[in-house]
Amino acid sequence: MSEQDANDKSEHTSATIYEVARRAGVGIATVSRALRGTGSVRPATRERILEAARELNFIPSRLGVSLAEGRHAANGIVFPSLTGPYFGEVLLGYEEAAAELKRSVIVVAADGLDSAQDHIRDLAGRVDGMVIYGSTAESEVVAELIAERKPTVLLSPRVLVDGPDVITAENTRSAGELAEHLLAHGHRTFTFLGGPTGGRDIDERWAALVDTLAKAGAAAPRPVPLSGYGRAEVYAAARAVLAQDPPDVLVCSHDEVALAALRVARELGLRVPDDIAVTGWDDVMAAEHSWPPLTTVRQPMRRMGEMAARALDELITGTRTGPLRQVLPTEVIIRESCAHHP
Amino acid sequence: MSEQDANDKSEHTSATIYEVARRAGVGIATVSRALRGTGSVRPATRERILEAARELNFIPSRLGVSLAEGRHAANGIVFPSLTGPYFGEVLLGYEEAAAELKRSVIVVAADGLDSAQDHIRDLAGRVDGMVIYGSTAESEVVAELIAERKPTVLLSPRVLVDGPDVITAENTRSAGELAEHLLAHGHRTFTFLGGPTGGRDIDERWAALVDTLAKAGAAAPRPVPLSGYGRAEVYAAARAVLAQDPPDVLVCSHDEVALAALRVARELGLRVPDDIAVTGWDDVMAAEHSWPPLTTVRQPMRRMGEMAARALDELITGTRTGPLRQVLPTEVIIRESCAHHP
DNA sequence: AGACAAGTTGGAAGCGCTTCCAATTCGAGT
DNA sequence: ACTCGAATTGGAAGCGCTTCCAACTTGTCT
């Protein structure tokens, strides 16, 4: 029964390569070679080893492997917060691509917490490289990462910095296109709800709107920055804008603001799009199901995650050396909140 | 300049504890004690060590730490797929709680891939414990985990199994409450779109609906399982149900189905809720913004993630030994898709 | 000034694995 | 049978850290 006992004991924690070696009557080096398929091992020996490994339910310890290999085979990703409808898609694309590249994904949400910086540092110690979404990390930490030569890619950063790879979604062209579409409907007075903000994405949209209207000889849009992203702030801002002297069009910085505006418009008895047109940005799921369905701009969130994973892999494997600056195309989605379309 | 060179070189990869020790003129044991605050170190020595560590930008290697400590300080979470509006919230709650407990979170999406099983095994080697959402893992892998005594909690599993902790959201009571509300509106003929399915959650809702109607002496609901969860299948099913002889109420297995039904109803010229009432389940963001706003049942996704993290921690630290069976309360959200409410 | 307990410190043994290197065994050709 | 290169194999040195244990310093109390 002592052998039985030994078995029981060894099951509490995964068996080690030593136990497999002993059971198969070989050295650990041979076990390693047999199991990972490097070096040559006589078929009979390999068979014995595989059998022993199976019996022991042996799974190599990632820690041992990583320590010896000097790599984690893991990627990190840092989100400013896990709320919002976007990050899920981004993460999906990222995880998928990472899995394909044989890497695990470690997620950190850098919600306002003071400890966020430490979490990011900890993360850095667990991965071969990381992507940072929306410039969550205060530049200090990012700078540290860069200085350490830790492979890093910035996804949709609030501010552009030199050095690391950067992946963004196109804003200017599609914002211009959206504005032109609205002008074509005959709309003339524009209000931009939700910006400018100091963040790159939204400010690029704002700037493109200003430009396009100017070129068309229309009055400049009225900017209405938000005092916060909470539900209350957004509704209050929408109410303030719509309650008196509403413009022809309310261009919103993103869908959630636009959806709130749709709500408020209904409350105030304003018909969309007859009395006022509304547009969003992102094309979240609710945009399609709202009433009226929301005209918006679709961002390739999933693809952004995927690109980030691939860019990071290139950085880690050293396939590419120069920094990457990728701008992914977006798509204007015309629905009925901007006008009736026959 | 040779010292400069050495510095440059050491920056390519994070410095080790040995370099810090050498620079501070002490042994590595002392460095370890000083940095992690265990054991006593003379203030002057500590200061020298901290300084050296700062200069070298020293971050202890997670691998070394974990290997020596015999723990990963990381939790895993497996999702069936990263799509859908739920998992984001679950992950948020999970990550938040895990961070509070000083653990990193590693995510795996077990999308149909054949390699999913391997990914889960790999994950198991990187974490101290893991939660599995929706019984993604085929029972074989879960069985393996249990056999290995790997701390595991099942979140909203499709099928209940013995052994591991299980956390679910309440279905029966709230489905009954929803049915009663619908009966109170005078609705008499019910169709259940999207089930039963063989999955526990949806089948519990179905069963509660059947029970409640039976108790009220109403006709039994008509079950309409879905042939798939793709957009096309859902719309086709909704169309088939609504095109001929629509019931008083269409109770849907979850919001996405209900939103599709709302769409189809509009296309067919059916007024909701006048001609037909529709309900969903989950309370996704779009449910609030749809027209009419969707009556549904809110699940505490975030809290589920949080509970899972805490349950897992208890398992890992051995704070609790008996298995956990937690059912989190849900909330019926009455909006206008089930009837006009004054 | 002397003796002890308490406070500090460094050495070394792991933790589980990969891989270099040297030693051993195998097979085929003569 | 005998030789020699090729195929196999095991030993051992790390990878970076924690922590036990023994050795060494302090400081204090007599």
Side-chain angles (χ1 to χ4, degrees):
Chain A
M1 268 304 166
S2 68
E3 194 176 314
Q4 187 61 45
D5 286 347
N7 279 347
D8 279 347
K9 200 169 149 203
S10 71
E11 279 198 18
H12 277 218
T13 175
S14 192
T16 73
I17 199 172
Y18 284 93
E19 304 175 43
V20 177
R22 186 145 39 80
R23 185 164 196 127
V26 298
I28 59 166
T30 305
V31 173
S32 177
R33 280 186 292 253
L35 259 31
R36 66 188 354 233
T38 65
S40 53
V41 176
R42 193 181 316 175
T45 310
R46 175 195 312 287
E47 204 40 64
R48 235 181 324 139
I49 292 173
L50 290 181
E51 161 114 14
R54 205 176 314 120
E55 287 173 359
L56 259 36
N57 209 328
F58 174 68
I59 299 178
S61 151
R62 235 354 291 180
L63 292 173
V65 175
S66 290
L67 195 54
E69 283 185 339
R71 58 181 226 122
H72 300 267
N75 289 0
I77 186 164
V78 181
F79 284 99
S81 138
L82 258 26
T83 47
Y86 331 102
F87 94 95
E89 283 290 306
V90 174
L91 183 56
L92 175 57
Y94 188 67
E95 205 280 342
E96 227 169 55
E100 190 186 305
L101 296 166
K102 304 283 182 216
R103 300 171 165 289
S104 292
V105 172
I106 305 185
V107 178
V108 165
D111 293 308
L113 284 65
D114 289 338
S115 52
Q117 306 291 307
D118 292 331
H119 287 166
I120 295 173
R121 283 203 191 81
D122 178 275
L123 175 63
R126 297 175 176 272
V127 299
D128 299 316
M130 54 206 291
V131 355
I132 303 199
Y133 185 97
S135 270
T136 304
E138 302 326 316
S139 38
E140 189 193 332
V141 187
V142 175
E144 245 178 71
L145 294 173
I146 308 301
E148 261 178 65
R149 306 251 202 305
K150 184 63 114 180
T152 302
V153 0
L154 266 31
L155 196 51
S156 207
R158 278 180 62 82
V159 179
L160 286 179
V161 292
D162 267 342
D165 284 4
V166 177
I167 295 175
T168 57
E170 201 285 321
N171 287 305
T172 306
R173 213 191 106 281
S174 38
E177 192 179 316
L178 178 63
E180 274 162 15
H181 179 88
L182 295 170
L183 285 166
H185 279 310
H187 301 311
R188 279 298 169 269
T189 57
F190 289 66
T191 291
F192 186 83
L193 179 57
T197 62
R200 186 189 42 75
D201 275 312
I202 289 177
D203 286 5
E204 283 180 6
R205 297 170 201 166
W206 159 253
L209 176 63
V210 170
D211 274 11
T212 308
L213 295 192
K215 280 205 191 92
R222 176 157 82 98
V224 180
L226 252 29
S227 57
Y229 287 90
R231 202 187 166 82
E233 284 105 330
V234 174
Y235 273 83
R239 205 161 276 126
V241 169
L242 296 180
Q244 53 182 49
D245 192 22
D248 292 347
V249 197
L250 189 60
V251 174
C252 300
S253 58
H254 52 284
D255 284 354
E256 280 159 291
V257 175
L259 290 168
L262 247 31
R263 270 285 173 100
V264 171
R266 191 189 332 271
E267 282 172 24
L268 297 176
L270 289 169
R271 288 166 309 153
V272 178
D274 306 83
D275 298 328
I276 183 171
V278 174
T279 69
W281 199 287
D282 289 337
D283 194 26
V284 302
M285 178 175 148
E288 182 189 349
H289 292 283
S290 70
W291 190 252
L294 190 64
T295 289
T296 185
V297 177
R298 181 179 300 158
Q299 304 207 66
M301 305 313 286
R302 193 143 154 185
R303 182 135 181 76
M304 288 180 78
E306 182 197 334
M307 294 301 302
R310 298 200 188 289
L312 190 52
D313 189 67
E314 292 171 356
L315 241 36
I316 293 170
T317 60
T319 314
R320 172 172 51 73
T321 49
L324 177 73
R325 282 291 149 92
Q326 182 131 28
V327 180
L328 296 175
T330 51
E331 182 188 358
V332 177
I333 306 286
I334 303 296
R335 296 206 181 94
E336 297 172 46
S337 69
C338 63
H340 294 295
H341 300 83
Chain B
M1 268 305 165
S2 68
E3 193 176 315
Q4 187 61 47
D5 286 346
N7 279 348
D8 281 345
K9 200 169 146 201
S10 71
E11 279 198 18
H12 277 219
T13 175
S14 193
T16 72
I17 199 172
Y18 285 92
E19 305 175 44
V20 177
R22 185 146 39 80
R23 185 164 196 127
V26 298
I28 58 166
T30 306
V31 173
S32 177
R33 279 186 292 254
L35 259 31
R36 65 188 354 233
T38 64
S40 51
V41 176
R42 193 182 316 177
T45 311
R46 175 195 313 287
E47 204 41 65
R48 238 182 322 139
I49 292 174
L50 290 181
E51 162 115 14
R54 205 175 315 119
E55 286 173 359
L56 259 34
N57 209 328
F58 173 68
I59 300 178
S61 152
R62 232 3 281 187
L63 293 173
V65 175
S66 290
L67 196 54
E69 284 186 336
R71 60 182 223 121
H72 300 268
N75 289 358
I77 186 164
V78 181
F79 284 100
S81 139
L82 257 26
T83 48
Y86 331 102
F87 92 96
E89 284 290 307
V90 174
L91 184 55
L92 174 57
Y94 189 66
E95 206 280 343
E96 226 168 57
E100 189 186 307
L101 297 166
K102 303 283 183 219
R103 301 171 165 289
S104 292
V105 172
I106 305 186
V107 178
V108 166
D111 294 307
L113 284 65
D114 288 339
S115 52
Q117 306 291 309
D118 294 330
H119 286 166
I120 295 174
R121 283 203 190 80
D122 179 275
L123 175 63
R126 296 174 176 273
V127 299
D128 299 316
M130 55 207 289
V131 354
I132 303 198
Y133 185 97
S135 271
T136 303
E138 303 325 316
S139 37
E140 190 192 331
V141 188
V142 175
E144 246 177 71
L145 294 173
I146 307 300
E148 261 178 64
R149 305 251 202 306
K150 182 64 109 178
T152 302
V153 0
L154 266 30
L155 195 51
S156 207
R158 278 181 61 80
V159 178
L160 286 180
V161 293
D162 267 344
D165 284 5
V166 177
I167 295 175
T168 57
E170 201 285 319
N171 285 306
T172 306
R173 215 191 104 281
S174 37
E177 191 180 319
L178 177 64
E180 274 162 16
H181 179 88
L182 294 170
L183 285 166
H185 279 312
H187 301 312
R188 280 300 169 265
T189 58
F190 288 66
T191 290
F192 187 83
L193 180 56
T197 62
R200 186 189 41 75
D201 275 313
I202 290 178
D203 287 5
E204 283 180 6
R205 297 168 202 167
W206 159 252
L209 176 62
V210 170
D211 274 12
T212 309
L213 295 192
K215 279 205 192 92
R222 178 157 81 98
V224 181
L226 252 29
S227 57
Y229 288 89
R231 203 188 165 82
E233 284 105 330
V234 174
Y235 273 84
R239 206 161 276 125
V241 169
L242 296 180
Q244 53 182 51
D245 193 21
D248 292 347
V249 196
L250 190 60
V251 174
C252 300
S253 58
H254 52 284
D255 284 353
E256 280 158 291
V257 175
L259 291 168
L262 246 32
R263 270 283 173 102
V264 171
R266 194 193 325 274
E267 283 173 23
L268 295 177
L270 288 169
R271 288 166 308 154
V272 177
D274 306 84
D275 298 327
I276 183 171
V278 175
T279 68
W281 198 287
D282 287 338
D283 195 26
V284 302
M285 179 176 147
E288 182 188 348
H289 292 284
S290 70
W291 190 251
L294 191 63
T295 290
T296 186
V297 177
R298 181 178 300 159
Q299 304 207 67
M301 305 313 286
R302 193 143 155 185
R303 181 132 180 76
M304 288 180 79
E306 182 197 334
M307 293 302 302
R310 298 200 188 289
L312 191 52
D313 190 68
E314 292 172 356
L315 241 35
I316 293 171
T317 59
T319 313
R320 174 171 50 74
T321 49
L324 177 72
R325 283 291 148 93
Q326 182 131 29
V327 180
L328 296 175
T330 52
E331 183 189 358
V332 177
I333 306 286
I334 303 297
R335 296 206 181 93
E336 298 172 46
S337 68
C338 63
H340 294 295
H341 300 82

